[in-house]
Amino acid sequence: MNEKDTFYITSPIFYPSAALHVGHAYTMTLSDVMARSQKALGKQVYFLTGADENASKVAKAAKVVEMSVPDFLEMITSKFKHLYAELNISYDQFIRTTDEQIHWPGAELMWERLNAAGDIYPAKYSGLYCPQCEAFYTDKELVDGKCPLHLIVPEHLEEDNFFFRLSKYTQTLKDKIESGEFQILPETRKNEILALLERGLEDVSFSRPIKMVPHGIPVPGHKDQVMYVWCDALTSYLTAVGFGRDEALASKWWPANAHVIGKDILRFHAAIWPAMLLSAGLPLPRRIVTHGFVLSGGHKMSKSIGNVIDPEELIKEFGADTLRYYLLRKIPTFEDGVISKELLKDAYNGDLANGLGNLVSRIMKLVETYEIRTDFLEPRELWTKPGNPVKLALDDFDTRLAIEHIWTKITTLDREIQDSKPWELLKSEDAHLKQKGFDTMVRLYKDLWWVAVMLEPFMPETSKNIVATIKAHRSDRSLFPRKD
Ligand code: MSP
């Protein structure tokens, strides 16, 4: 475990070739919950996100809309940031891999370190290449001769590359994963990587001819080659916190506590990246947290399949917290799950309008009518209380189990208020019964405060609203007006 009081968490840096869809919003929401909850627990948190800009698909997308690459990047990255503002993503830095001041010195330093370790060598590469994935595929990996993600036939490519000696690190990686020094969550993904290591890692292509990808970071000493996207992109986790320009800062935050990723980029994060770090003599991240896919119409959302759902549209109609709620509670953190507008609406009406919204207004009405007052524990105390089930679930990065615990409390409160009918007790002439009514209400009120505090990382606006309602002692506002 990391004994430091800092917590460095990263999301992937997305390709700015198109606006983000609900699948990306999912990754960001999970990362945000982890960042916010660590803050609630008293850690100093740094949350990195950004854009993976030196990719040929970005240049292609710019060409389609007849924009220059820099203008196109500016437009798409501001869309990313707009979505994050709408979705209340509490990131600290948005790194852009075209940033020659922040990113390039560290990326070059990384290359030089790997080279100095004798782990980079020139070779010819030939294979089947999916331009959408920016990755080579073997015959076996194709489905009906097509890229399994984009359902397009890959191109045959042969080129001069530099290679990284990934194979050299197979055993060390295996040891570090087995000892738990380098964690991969969940267990099924860890086993997948261990099986891959069992078969042995092969060296990987690490650069591409500049004529293929004109926008990359030049390989030090070889101007005709640019760094392959993974060496460039993965290193952003380090350059963002100072590697190559501010070593004191880098050692404050590195190693990262968690890289949050989708399962499709696991191999890069759990094999190539740690091998690069070992080669460069740097500590490994503590863990890789791997989530599943958000499916739409039975498929992973993808622009080329045409099944993307625009998160901003959903936010406009249902609010950011409804989308966050849906993604966090209805999609199992470590498996695939489905989303549609209909499902989202059902969740809104059922769990939020009728569920949480109703509960808050019922409790607050009684609190107001009967002048119920009590003291509340500070949020930090509630969060760090031994046995807090929300914290325990989050220790395992199981965001769905964590929010499930909050909903268990909400359901219990609902039932309790129904069964004990405190309004009848409070109206009673019998002092004993009246007292019982007060005691019940104080308990319900304290539990509602707990719900409001625990909800913060998951549904920050809702949490803020309930806290404000409690503080203002108001019940005249419906948190989630019904939608028909
Ligand atoms: N640029 C690389 C990542 C580099 S990280 C150093 C990349 N970018 S991406 O734009 O393709 O976004 C990838 C991330 O989004 C992955 O974590 C991927 O799993 C996630 N998702 C893309 N579609 C998704 C869903 N439909 N559902 C959940 N996550 C999805 O790969």
Side-chain angles (χ1 to χ4, degrees), residues 183-201:
Q183 293 176 21
I184 299 167
L185 296 178
E187 192 75 9
T188 47
R189 299 288 165 213
K190 169 179 157 181
N191 293 335
E192 192 182 307
I193 291 298
L194 284 173
L196 181 81
L197 292 169
E198 198 54 53
R199 292 194 295 273
L201 296 172

Side-chain angles (χ1 to χ4, degrees), residues 383-402:
W383 271 99
T384 53
K385 211 168 171 177
N388 173 9
V390 181
K391 177 193 177 285
L392 293 177
L394 290 173
D395 283 347
D396 295 331
F397 291 79
D398 195 337
T399 45
R400 157 129 107 170
L401 180 61

Side-chain angles (χ1 to χ4, degrees), residues 166 173 193 196-197 201 266-276:
L166 182 60
L173 270 177
I193 291 298
L196 181 81
L197 292 169
L201 296 172
L266 176 64
R267 267 193 311 146
F268 304 109
H269 283 78
I272 300 180
W273 178 226
M276 285 166 64

Side-chain angles (χ1 to χ4, degrees), residues 40-53:
L41 287 162
K43 292 260 166 127
Q44 202 189 341
V45 172
Y46 201 76
F47 175 9
L48 173 74
T49 190
D52 190 353
E53 303 192 329

